[in-house]
Amino acid sequence: METNTYKVYFDAELDCVVMEWDGYSTSAEFRQGTELMLNMLIERKAKYVLADIKNMVLIGKEDREWLEEQFLPRATDFGFGGIAIVRPSNYFNKVAIESITSKVDKEKVAINLFDEVPEAKEWLRALSNNTTNSAAIPQS
């Protein structure tokens, strides 16, 4: 699925859902894209996500709260196990992402931040190859 602000698709090589965000998204677009990612995870029986948010402008406060309080607990119930995030360029979005990631239960969801997509893909490959304890993969 693709809109002007996001693209969500399944990467068979990585066995993960990829989200690419570009520019400013409304609250409705942010939630729609995030829900689409979860639905694709469920359909594909995947556990991991690559979120390229380098060019995303901002996640608003209400959407951060929705993500933390409503979406993430529901997503982990459906098997969401890890996310590689390509850091945003926008300063305020960097702060928002740091806030969100600090509140994620690292025992349930492996999470890591990267500067570039190839680094994120490498980490996801290692994560999916580690079948005994995915939370043991080094995180930065």
Side-chain angles (χ1 to χ4, degrees):
M1 168 96 186
E2 188 171 348
T3 69
N4 289 336
T5 56
Y6 68 83
K7 181 164 62 167
V8 179
Y9 59 94
F10 184 75
D11 183 319
E13 178 191 338
L14 288 174
D15 193 27
C16 78
V17 176
V18 178
M19 302 173 68
E20 297 173 357
W21 293 85
D22 188 19
Y24 176 79
S25 62
T26 65
S27 179
E29 289 171 325
F30 175 76
R31 293 179 189 206
Q32 178 186 38
T34 305
E35 292 289 350
L36 179 61
M37 175 271 295
L38 178 59
N39 290 336
M40 199 170 288
L41 273 176
I42 294 166
E43 287 172 15
R44 299 292 188 138
K45 295 179 176 44
K47 293 182 180 183
Y48 306 117
V49 173
L50 169 59
D52 182 353
I53 60 171
K54 189 174 213 159
N55 296 318
M56 181 184 230
V57 174
L58 184 65
I59 299 172
K61 183 178 184 241
E62 290 176 359
D63 290 326
R64 285 195 314 266
E65 290 170 355
W66 170 81
L67 194 68
E68 294 164 4
E69 297 167 11
Q70 296 178 36
F71 179 81
L72 286 172
R74 189 165 40 92
T76 55
D77 287 346
F78 281 110
F80 174 54
I83 184 167
I85 301 171
V86 180
R87 287 182 180 93
S89 300
N90 179 287
Y91 172 78
F92 295 107
N93 215 21
K94 281 183 187 177
V95 172
I97 292 302
E98 289 171 7
S99 171
I100 293 166
T101 58
S102 71
K103 295 174 184 167
V104 171
D105 182 349
K106 309 290 189 299
E107 295 293 318
K108 293 182 180 180
V109 179
I111 189 166
N112 209 342
L113 300 168
F114 301 91
D115 292 323
E116 300 295 332
V117 170
E119 299 167 322
K121 286 182 174 182
E122 184 178 320
W123 182 77
L124 284 168
R125 281 187 194 94
L127 189 64
S128 63
N129 289 334
N130 182 352
T131 56
T132 56
N133 183 4
S134 62
I137 299 296
Q139 301 177 22
S140 60

